[in-house]
Amino acid sequence: VKDTYDREESMFVKAQKFMSAQQGAGENDYDFLLRVEDLSRQQEIGSSNRENVMRERFALCVSVKGLRNVKVRQELMAKPDLTRLL
């Protein structure tokens, strides 16, 4: 029975969870960033240095988009290069 119902999530489910990540009520910014980073590592992007840089930048964009604090989100979106914050 376990083999039938204990399936791994498809890449589409993993991608949806990653792309739609939203900061939960009471979740601090750092914990949210760590959660999005973990979700990004579940994506089948690759493991080369270039692919890791792309994944990290994409995770940063998803993190900013999912922040609950609108003022902070707008301030971060107004910056020309968020990677300088890393």
Side-chain angles (χ1 to χ4, degrees), residues 4-52:
T4 303
Y5 295 105
D6 192 29
R7 295 187 179 142
E8 185 175 333
E9 292 177 327
S10 72
M11 68 177 214
F12 301 107
V13 171
K14 290 177 183 179
Q16 175 61 23
K17 285 183 177 182
F18 173 59
M19 294 298 299
S20 64
Q22 295 287 314
Q23 186 177 21
E27 182 178 23
N28 72 40
D29 295 345
Y30 183 73
D31 288 341
F32 174 59
L33 181 59
L34 289 178
R35 183 165 58 88
V36 171
E37 178 67 21
D38 181 59
L39 290 169
S40 77
R41 292 187 186 284
Q42 295 175 23
Q43 305 308 303
E44 298 175 18
I45 295 174
S47 59
S48 74
N49 189 44
R50 182 169 183 242
E51 291 163 331
N52 280 332

Side-chain angles (χ1 to χ4, degrees), residues 1-2 10 15 29 35 40 51-54 63-64 73 75 80-81 83:
V1 174
K2 184 176 180 177
S10 72
D29 295 345
R35 183 165 58 88
S40 77
E51 291 163 331
N52 280 332
V53 168
M54 290 172 47
S63 296
V64 169
R73 184 173 59 228
E75 287 174 7
D81 186 5
T83 60

